[in-house]
Structure formats: structure tokens, C-alpha cells
Amino acid sequence: MRVDLQADTCTTTIKGHIFMSATAVCHVTEAHKKQFEQEGYFILKNVMPPEHLQLLRDECQRFIDLENARMDADKTDVHGINHRNKRYFVAYACQNSAKIPEFVYSDLMADICRATLGPDAYLFWDQYVVKGAEVGMKFGWHQDSGYVGHPHRPYLTCWCALDDMSVENGTAFILPYSRAGTKEVQPHVKEEGTNDLIGYHGSDPGEPILVPAGSIAVFSSRTFHRSGANTTNRMRRVYLPQYSAEVIMNKEGTAPQAQSECFLKDGKRVR
């Protein structure tokens, strides 16, 4: 694959075919692609259009309110790995929003998918990850593939910062492949008290993602990452769309594991 930087257009060449996007500049460079292959991640700062950043923020509170109502109905403060006012994982946000698809199926995300997954891309999963002010909980070392539960082709996580990220507000930490010592999915065990699945037990603290709102950390589903607690007086919000190069099926092979909405086919957008 070749990615060319130009002043007005972004062109990507895949298997001899040239694809052009409407974005003003191609943000994914050859250096990013090389880092992704060697270390499992790269970071794009200040790439989200302001209107997309705002719509994702606007939708976030609506989903928090819906999750709180669900907990109220069940008379509990904990649903799986969701903890009221502490930590929220709100899945299928794109499917349940009239606005979020505008970002998920945008030119920017198409460029990222082409550069990492290749000519075909499907929306596999999406969710908001929110840490409450002052009490936002940590999240342990894991690979996203560790939550799938059976062998599958690696997929892509796009960690979209909706707030300025710092160690104090519980940003994510990445463990590069070279420091994790593996590119393969490792066994994960459930952590008592949080229900987190933990797959790395070493002492390496990882690399903190210290980026402004509107930035995206792009990493493989086999890349270890964790996050700390939010000790600030404001929420820390992230939106996470995940894409796969093919439909990821369930263990039995009878149905898709999660979502399977086709986004790119042979390098061209179909959404």
C-alpha cells in the first residue's frame, strides 16, 4: 500500500487502484503504517473535525442517562463492567444513534481503515468509555481480542478522545509489541471485583496517550492497553469504533460475533 501526502486531496493506492477522499490532507503516513505493523499502534493528534467531536460529545450524555435508567430498573449500581457514576461502557452507540454514523463512516475513518486493514472494512463494535469525575475506575491490562473468546483475525480499535487526556484523568496506556514480547493473543483471567479480563502481568507501565480532544489512538486488537483512574473533577470521555477486515463470526460460525456493517469494499466506501 502507498499513501501520498498532497495539499488538497488524500490518495491511497491499494493493489494498483487509487482511491481519493474528500479530506484536506491524508493523516496516515508511511511512518504511521510502519509503527502499526511493528509496535501495534500509532497516534493521530487533532484529526477529528470539530463538528464530529461535538456530535459525539452531545450523544454521550444521552447514552449515560439511558444506562443509568437501566440500572434503576434493575435496582443495581453495577451491570457487568459498568459501574454507576464511576465507569461506563455503552455499546452499539452507532446503531442506536442517527448522528454517530456520520463520523463512523466518514472519509477520515475510511483513510485509517485502508491504511491498517486494507481494502475491506466492516464495523465490528463501537462503544463509549466514560470515567466519572474523581471516582472513575481503572481498567486493567488487556487485549481487545481477549474479550472475543475464540480465534479470529485481528481487528482495529480507534480510541477517539472526546476530552483532553492526561494521566490524572485516566488516559489509556499502550504497551508496544516490542515491550509486551508478543503479537499474539494471550490468556486472560477475570479480575475479582471489577470483572475486567487481565492478560498482562508484567511491570512495564506502558506509554500514556497524552493527547488533546479530537485526537485518535489507532491500535490493533492484539495490542495491550490499560487505563488509570480519573482523579480530576470532570468526566473523561472516549468513543471507540472498531473495524475488522472481514466479518468476525461467533465461535460456532453460525452468526456474526457482533456488528457486521460493511464500510469499505475493494477500497471503496459503501456507506
Side-chain angles (χ1 to χ4, degrees):
M1 186 195 314
R2 176 174 59 85
V3 179
D4 301 315
L5 296 182
Q6 300 182 8
D8 299 313
T9 61
C10 176
T11 63
T12 304
T13 302
I14 301 175
K15 297 181 179 179
H17 298 283
I18 298 176
F19 302 95
M20 301 181 66
S21 77
T23 52
V25 65
C26 188
H27 298 284
V28 184
T29 67
E30 282 297 322
H32 288 132
K33 183 174 179 289
K34 183 177 180 180
Q35 182 177 335
F36 183 80
E37 292 172 347
Q38 293 181 345
E39 298 289 12
Y41 79 104
F42 61 84
I43 294 173
L44 301 173
K45 291 186 177 181
N46 295 310
V47 292
M48 295 172 61
E51 62 273 19
H52 286 171
L53 175 60
Q54 190 58 51
L55 78 82
L56 290 173
R57 286 171 166 173
D58 290 344
E59 286 289 86
C60 187
Q61 188 60 50
R62 182 172 71 87
F63 284 108
I64 290 175
D65 292 342
L66 288 171
E67 182 64 17
N68 283 342
R70 180 169 168 256
M71 290 183 185
D72 288 342
D74 290 344
K75 298 181 180 179
T76 183
D77 289 325
V78 179
H79 263 160
I81 57 176
N82 288 338
H83 297 250
R84 186 193 298 270
N85 297 327
K86 296 181 180 180
R87 190 176 75 180
Y88 293 91
F89 292 79
V90 183
Y92 291 98
C94 183
Q95 182 175 307
N96 293 294
S97 169
K99 299 178 180 180
I100 293 176
E102 182 180 329
F103 170 73
V104 168
Y105 302 118
S106 64
D107 285 323
L108 171 62
M109 304 314 289
D111 293 337
I112 292 172
C113 287
R114 291 190 191 104
T116 53
L117 296 175
D120 299 335
Y122 297 79
L123 179 64
F124 169 63
W125 186 263
D126 77 298
Q127 64 181 6
Y128 278 103
V129 181
V130 179
K131 293 178 182 286
E134 297 181 342
V135 292
M137 295 174 63
K138 71 175 184 65
F139 197 47
W141 279 120
H142 67 285
Q143 297 161 302
D144 287 338
S145 281
Y147 278 84
V148 174
H150 60 274
H152 58 279
R153 186 172 174 179
Y155 56 95
L156 182 72
T157 293
C158 296
W159 193 90
C160 303
L162 305 187
D163 299 294
D164 294 342
M165 294 296 161
S166 66
V167 172
E168 291 74 21
N169 73 358
T171 192
F173 289 71
I174 295 285
L175 190 60
Y177 286 154
S178 61
R179 288 158 59 176
T182 183
K183 293 183 178 181
E184 302 304 317
V185 181
Q186 300 300 302
H188 285 59
V189 295
K190 184 174 290 188
E191 182 180 58
E192 188 174 351
T194 66
N195 294 326
D196 294 353
L197 294 182
I198 309 297
Y200 174 74
H201 306 280
S203 59
D204 193 320
E207 292 292 330
I209 301 175
L210 305 177
V211 296
S215 302
I216 304 176
V218 180
F219 52 90
S220 167
S221 64
R222 293 184 177 181
T223 303
F224 274 108
H225 55 288
R226 68 174 178 91
S227 62
N230 180 8
T231 61
T232 71
N233 61 1
R234 301 183 66 180
M235 287 191 304
R236 191 229 70 175
R237 299 163 294 179
V238 169
Y239 177 63
L240 275 171
Q242 297 176 313
Y243 304 88
S244 58
E246 61 187 16
V247 175
I248 297 177
M249 303 298 288
N250 60 19
K251 186 176 182 179
E252 295 74 25
T254 57
Q257 174 84 5
Q259 301 179 72
S260 58
E261 186 70 36
C262 188
F263 177 28
L264 300 175
K265 190 66 177 176
D266 296 325
K268 299 179 181 178
R269 288 179 55 182
V270 296
R271 281 292 307 257

